[in-house]
Amino acid sequence: MNRHTKVALMVAPFLILGGYIASDFYLEKQAEQTRVFKLVPFGHCDVINQKCILKSGKFEVNIYDKAGTTTVNSTFPLDSATLFLVDKSNQASAYPLGMIDNPYYWQSSTPLREQISVQGEKYKLRVIANIKGGQYIAEFYTQTVK
């Protein structure tokens, strides 16, 4: 065995370990970069009657209102969530949601129930859910059926 082969066999484990560590840093940095995904309503959306599901791939968000408290429930843990109520002149009012007990449930008191109390009336909502650099956004209408 010549000396070049010996040096290659001694250096190879360090190169393999260094490459593994470098690829881990690269993949971690890629995962933290901001990405935007669109959530789309799954069927008819009725927030008051707890029938509003937004989907993007395997990620789902359920939005409902009980007694003036609007809740967002997701299939994956969220870092933050914000709900926007949009009026007829397209002006949005932001309502940052606070975590309830775990990162799957977020809620805030909103005037949504008073604004869509008339049966059959449509109201525009927007939601932004953040998960580790990924932003899931949606603009949709809710309509009270019953």
Side-chain angles (χ1 to χ4, degrees):
M1 191 180 307
N2 64 18
R3 87 182 149 154
H4 295 292
T5 306
K6 288 180 184 178
V7 169
L9 290 175
M10 290 178 12
V11 172
F14 296 107
L15 291 175
I16 291 170
L17 184 61
Y20 179 76
I21 292 170
S23 68
D24 186 49
F25 282 123
Y26 174 76
L27 291 175
E28 185 175 328
K29 183 174 179 159
Q30 291 284 44
E32 291 178 358
Q33 289 182 348
T34 302
R35 297 174 317 268
V36 177
F37 303 98
K38 184 176 181 180
L39 290 166
V40 293
F42 183 70
H44 179 74
C45 197
D46 186 355
V47 174
I48 298 299
N49 291 317
Q50 302 178 13
K51 295 178 182 172
C52 185
I53 297 175
L54 307 173
K55 294 181 87 172
S56 177
K58 293 182 179 181
F59 180 66
E60 292 183 6
V61 174
N62 183 15
I63 302 173
Y64 58 91
D65 188 275
K66 281 187 179 178
T69 301
T70 306
T71 305
V72 171
N73 174 19
S74 64
T75 54
F76 298 119
L78 301 176
D79 294 330
S80 66
T82 306
L83 180 72
F84 297 89
L85 304 181
V86 183
D87 61 13
K88 293 186 189 321
S89 62
N90 212 23
Q91 297 296 319
S93 300
Y95 292 91
L97 303 173
M99 188 184 340
I100 300 174
D101 292 328
N102 59 49
Y104 295 93
Y105 291 91
W106 297 73
Q107 73 178 9
S108 178
S109 295
T110 63
L112 181 62
R113 187 167 285 274
E114 292 88 35
Q115 294 180 0
I116 57 172
S117 60
V118 178
Q119 183 177 344
E121 186 176 339
K122 284 187 174 184
Y123 197 80
K124 187 190 291 189
L125 299 173
R126 294 179 186 145
V127 67
I128 299 175
N130 296 308
I131 302 176
K132 294 184 182 178
Q135 289 189 333
Y136 290 84
I137 61 171
E139 180 175 275
F140 60 99
Y141 287 91
T142 180
Q143 183 179 21
T144 306
V145 177
K146 291 183 181 182

